[in-house]
Amino acid sequence: MEFEGLVVEEEARWSGDGAARQAARGLGWLSLGLGAVQLAAPRGVSRLAGVDDSAVARVAVRLVGVRELVQAAGLLSGRRPAEWIWMRVAGDVLDVSALGWALNARRGGRRLRAGFASAALVGIAAVDLMTAARVARSRAVTAGGRTMRLERSVTINRPVSEVFSFWRDFTNLPRFMTHLDRVEVLDERHSHWVAKAPMGHVAWDAEIIAEEQDRMIAWRAIGAPGVPNAGQVTFAAAPGGRGTEVRVRLAYRPPGGAVGVALARLAGREPDQQVREDLRRLKQVLECGEVIAVDERVSARGPMQRRVTRVLRRRLATGGRP
Amino acid sequence: MKAICWMGVNQVSVEDVPEPEILSSRDAIVRVTASSVCGSDLHLIDGYLPGMREGDVLGHEFTGEVVEVGSDVRKVRPGDRVVVGSFVGCGGCHYCQEELWSLCDNTNPQPLLQEKLWGHAIGGVYGYTHATGGFPGSHAELIRVPFADNNAFPVPDGLSDEQVVFASDALPTGWMGAEMCNLWPGSVVAVWGCGAVGQAAIRAAYLLGAERVIAIDRLPERLTMTARHTGAQTLNYEEADVLEALREATGGRGPDACIEAVGMEAHSTGLQHAYDRTKQALRLHTERGATLRQAILACRKGGTVSIIGVFGGYLDKMPIGAAMNKALTFRMGQQHGQRYIPMLLDRIARGEIDLRYLATHSLPLEDGPWGYEMFKHKQDGCVRAVFHPAA
């Protein structure tokens, strides 16, 4: 699987279009049903709504039926799903106000039926509104979001099969991805990732979406990760018998768009730098069996200078992260 | 434990520091018995190399006794006397396996400054800035030696600390400088700098087949010492025009190989020195390159310039036209000590190399500041001050 193909697929998911289309389809069938009933049996509908005493109401019911069918066509078309859902909400507002006005002018059994019908309409309106809000929210997470991409590689002086196997056993990842606390393998394709965060932990699930032995692993975060992301790692023999070229490609949607990216950079949490460090440590683990340790205690520094020195060492290692 | 620490530009003092510990199963802890100053320490003390922090332990040229080893160390045991090279080699990367130990990919865990400055980072060094790994140095009672099987070499029986301490850094550096010249019987070699590295290079050049070696410096006592112990011809650049003298000494050809064993704080004469010194002070260039320029101009057509003096950044007025048009070969680099140390220890044991005379001042660790002061200002004929922490 080519990485660009994977990114295009993921972007469709991240932009929220997938979820919106699915929600729109459900509401589309609802519209179709309502519209069909209103057109086929306008008298029955009028009676149910307690407005069967008015010739105008029967015409109105037919018009509403036509509107529902137009909306159904739009919702089921799969185009601009979020906008069509908002159209339904607008229609609901119109219907509830019309029926409310009609209810005020009725007494007795009709008033009672108009009341039930209004309640049902409010219920449908609530469902529409919640769906519209949910779709809007899932788009907002990545709204205006640009997909960020990065690519980093490292040459490791070990055979391809060894490097591949090490990576494929995801429980090894925290040995060189220091922001991870642990990775639990759930089944052949799914794993649960737990990362250290300033307050406790952040967890998400990952799914392998493509894999070729000794050549490539591609994955994506599933569920609702804070940062939608997908990645691919490829393994290739380095020329001249120099081991394995490991190349990581990531695509992700940082929350908050360009501002979010700038803030993350300020906080030293730039994924590009993170990946470079991770690959450097992967190389150390595979070539030396360990991450290189330096005894920072052996110095004539006081506690304050120790802290400042630790910051300097981090900067020299990571390029700015505190 | 006691250690000689860098406490700021031109501030060296003896301080109490925590003892090192085994951090990995491949570590050894070595009780240092002799640890030498090195000309490259002066670049740190003078503040020309970035990444030093107040409280850093200095020293990267040493010998000592193994006192503790991690569970995966096979080649050395507690009680062994060892020489340790100044660069830490991991042994697992492509460069270590190609015996290019100072280019180790893994032992500098803080590589960013070097990557920005040089494109790539080189291996870690004891006591030599946090940009070069930040490993605590050897001017201390104890030192942690990572990957001990790759980096610590047993001392043949019967050799003293003074005989072997320079096999840690100065001797392999000089040896490599001469080896890079591809010498053959009949070669004429010029060496800039009569410090320990320069004199080691002279000895190595003779052992590798050079017929004549001409040594260049400005300190009469060092020139005298060099002539007496190595047999090289000497040239005082303050008294003679070096280019002219080298041309005349070689029948107009110029030396077949020129070894630069001075580095970024080269001294020179007259206007050129004033120019270099001013630009360096203003940080307009980081190197004073008089010796390197001379080496390029002096070298015969098709000859080799071998650079073992330490440079850090940028040098201007580089006579690239001379280098290109004369078809010079440039060889350079930090020492790949692990490649040479066992062979050099054998040669020392056979009596082929004896550099004890370079240790002009043997001092207890407590005399660290004084030792560096003498060494820096070349007082009292100081070529090398060697500290003995265990004494």
Side-chain angles (χ1 to χ4, degrees):
Chain A
M1 167 179 241
E2 286 308 312
F3 185 63
E4 276 315 304
L6 182 150
V7 173
V8 168
E9 220 169 88
E10 291 302 303
E11 277 186 311
R13 283 157 32 92
W14 299 341
S15 62
D17 284 353
R21 250 197 300 278
Q22 208 172 353
R25 206 163 295 132
L27 294 177
W29 288 112
L30 178 66
S31 280
L32 189 66
L34 289 171
V37 170
Q38 280 159 343
L39 284 179
R43 278 168 194 281
V45 172
S46 302
R47 207 167 29 247
L48 261 176
V51 293
D52 49 335
D53 53 350
S54 155
V56 178
R58 279 198 298 277
V59 175
V61 167
R62 282 198 186 85
L63 285 176
V64 171
V66 170
R67 191 199 71 209
E68 290 285 358
L69 288 187
V70 170
Q71 283 175 344
L75 287 162
L76 292 172
S77 75
R79 279 204 292 272
R80 299 177 159 275
E83 282 82 344
W84 281 109
I85 296 172
W86 281 113
M87 289 278 280
R88 267 203 63 82
V89 173
D92 291 338
V93 171
L94 206 65
D95 294 354
V96 170
S97 4
L99 195 57
W101 179 72
L103 181 144
N104 258 340
R106 300 293 188 285
R107 291 285 173 273
R110 286 209 171 90
R111 187 186 174 106
L112 194 66
R113 276 179 276 148
F116 280 124
S118 294
L121 277 184
V122 168
I124 290 173
V127 169
D128 288 342
L129 189 63
M130 266 153 50
T131 309
R134 182 162 55 83
V135 167
R137 204 167 43 240
S138 83
R139 286 160 78 100
V141 169
T142 51
R146 217 151 39 95
T147 301
M148 305 292 289
R149 283 154 221 252
L150 68 88
E151 178 173 337
R152 282 285 164 196
S153 59
V154 70
T155 302
I156 297 177
N157 192 27
R158 305 298 307 167
V160 171
S161 57
E162 181 186 331
V163 180
F164 177 90
S165 306
F166 185 85
W167 191 298
R168 182 60 184 80
D169 179 357
F170 293 149
T171 58
N172 280 328
L173 300 184
R175 288 182 65 185
F176 64 95
M177 297 182 177
T178 49
H179 66 292
L180 292 180
D181 184 65
R182 63 182 187 277
V183 175
E184 291 156 17
V185 173
L186 303 174
D187 60 40
E188 198 42 38
R189 284 177 57 218
H190 296 91
S191 45
H192 182 66
W193 298 47
V194 181
K196 297 164 195 158
M199 316 258 266
H201 289 97
V202 182
W204 67 95
D205 285 344
E207 175 185 42
I208 293 183
I209 46 185
E211 179 179 0
E212 282 174 59
Q213 179 75 30
D214 291 348
R215 218 193 74 74
M216 184 270 287
I217 305 168
W219 69 92
R220 69 170 165 227
I222 53 176
V227 181
N229 68 85
Q232 182 198 47
V233 54
T234 58
F235 307 84
R242 278 172 286 191
T244 306
E245 285 177 12
V246 179
R247 180 161 278 109
V248 171
R249 296 182 176 94
L250 284 185
Y252 59 99
R253 275 282 169 91
V259 178
V261 172
L263 284 175
R265 192 165 294 164
L266 271 180
R269 301 202 183 282
E270 212 185 336
D272 180 59
Q273 193 52 48
Q274 176 85 54
V275 170
R276 282 176 65 172
E277 277 175 70
D278 289 347
L279 289 180
R280 198 157 65 223
R281 278 187 293 262
L282 170 68
K283 181 176 163 73
Q284 291 173 10
V285 168
L286 285 169
E287 291 184 345
C288 314
E290 62 189 64
V291 174
I292 305 295
V294 176
D295 201 342
E296 295 182 36
R297 298 173 313 112
V298 183
S299 79
R301 280 184 275 278
M304 189 61 201
Q305 294 158 334
R306 238 171 250 263
R307 218 162 13 246
V308 175
T309 302
R310 206 152 39 230
V311 170
L312 172 90
R313 292 177 61 88
R314 285 302 288 162
R315 291 237 161 101
L316 288 169
T318 68
R321 183 187 315 211
Chain B
M1 63 174 182
K2 292 263 179 284
I4 301 173
C5 296
W6 186 90
M7 302 304 284
V9 173
N10 288 318
Q11 288 177 55
V12 173
S13 62
V14 176
E15 304 285 338
D16 256 315
V17 303
E19 291 189 356
E21 287 167 2
I22 298 263
L23 298 182
S24 144
S25 60
R26 297 169 69 185
D27 289 350
I29 302 290
V30 170
R31 188 170 58 84
V32 181
T33 52
S35 181
S36 175
V37 302
C38 173
S40 60
D41 290 337
L42 299 180
H43 311 320
L44 309 181
I45 292 171
D46 295 350
Y48 284 118
L49 291 181
M52 286 301 280
R53 293 292 311 165
E54 183 179 333
D56 284 338
V57 181
L58 288 166
H60 58 260
E61 179 160 23
F62 64 103
T63 180
E65 182 189 322
V66 176
V67 290
E68 193 185 350
V69 295
S71 56
D72 289 325
V73 174
R74 296 283 170 267
K75 295 187 188 160
V76 293
R77 309 296 334 149
D80 287 355
R81 288 180 62 220
V82 291
V83 165
V84 180
S86 51
F87 273 84
V88 186
C90 78
C93 71
H94 180 73
Y95 290 104
C96 286
Q97 291 186 351
E98 293 284 308
E99 301 260 23
L100 300 167
W101 294 88
S102 70
L103 305 182
C104 177
D105 268 340
N106 291 316
T107 51
N108 181 358
Q110 285 106 236
L112 282 203
L113 187 72
Q114 292 185 350
E115 284 177 355
K116 285 209 171 81
L117 201 56
W118 302 338
H120 300 90
I122 61 169
V125 183
Y126 302 101
Y128 214 78
T129 84
H130 292 273
T132 318
F135 292 91
S138 61
H139 294 337
E141 291 171 54
L142 296 165
I143 185 168
R144 166 178 170 258
V145 175
F147 305 108
D149 281 342
N150 303 321
N151 297 313
F153 298 91
V155 174
D157 290 338
L159 297 183
S160 67
D161 289 340
E162 285 72 16
Q163 278 175 296
V164 299
V165 66
F166 299 121
S168 163
D169 189 29
L171 177 54
T173 301
W175 187 274
M176 182 168 138
E179 191 188 73
M180 290 190 294
C181 294
N182 286 326
L183 300 174
W184 75 98
S187 301
V188 179
V189 180
V191 176
W192 276 258
C194 289
V197 170
Q199 295 195 48
I202 294 168
R203 183 71 198 124
Y206 279 120
L207 287 168
L208 288 167
E211 187 167 310
R212 274 160 61 200
V213 180
I214 304 163
I216 303 150
D217 206 300
R218 72 189 160 105
L219 301 171
E221 68 275 16
R222 286 200 180 183
L223 289 166
T224 308
M225 173 192 260
T226 303
R228 187 168 74 239
H229 288 277
T230 68
Q233 270 174 257
T234 59
L235 189 53
N236 187 330
Y237 68 78
E238 287 185 335
E239 291 166 2
D241 178 330
V242 172
L243 295 181
E244 192 66 27
L246 286 175
R247 209 162 24 236
E248 288 315 308
T250 55
R253 299 185 309 276
D256 299 301
C258 295
I259 299 176
E260 204 283 350
V262 179
M264 63 195 292
E265 290 182 80
H267 288 264
S268 52
T269 50
L271 204 57
Q272 184 179 204
H273 186 62
Y275 171 86
D276 275 342
R277 189 73 194 82
T278 308
K279 281 194 79 169
Q280 189 176 40
L282 295 172
R283 299 296 190 266
L284 291 172
H285 63 181
T286 53
E287 325 291 303
R288 301 202 298 257
T291 47
L292 183 56
R293 294 184 195 117
Q294 252 176 16
I296 292 168
L297 294 171
C299 194
R300 78 154 163 87
K301 291 183 283 185
T304 299
V305 174
S306 166
I307 307 172
I308 49 176
V310 173
F311 289 88
Y314 294 84
L315 165 67
D316 74 358
K317 304 291 181 290
M318 168 93 170
I320 190 67
M324 189 274 158
N325 288 289
K326 291 202 293 179
L328 300 186
T329 298
F330 277 75
R331 296 291 307 276
M332 57 196 89
Q334 298 273 8
Q335 62 138 349
H336 308 305
Q338 291 84 336
R339 177 159 135 192
Y340 304 108
I341 292 171
M343 174 271 293
L344 293 170
L345 288 171
D346 282 348
R347 285 180 187 268
I348 293 168
R350 288 202 301 270
E352 286 175 27
I353 300 172
D354 184 356
L355 299 179
R356 273 176 292 186
Y357 68 95
L358 294 172
T360 50
H361 295 75
S362 280
L363 304 169
L365 200 63
E366 286 68 22
D367 287 341
W370 180 51
Y372 268 107
E373 196 63 18
M374 273 195 304
F375 176 57
K376 178 177 175 180
H377 299 291
K378 280 98 180 164
Q379 295 158 350
D380 194 31
C382 183
V383 176
R384 281 297 177 99
V386 176
F387 304 114
H388 298 272

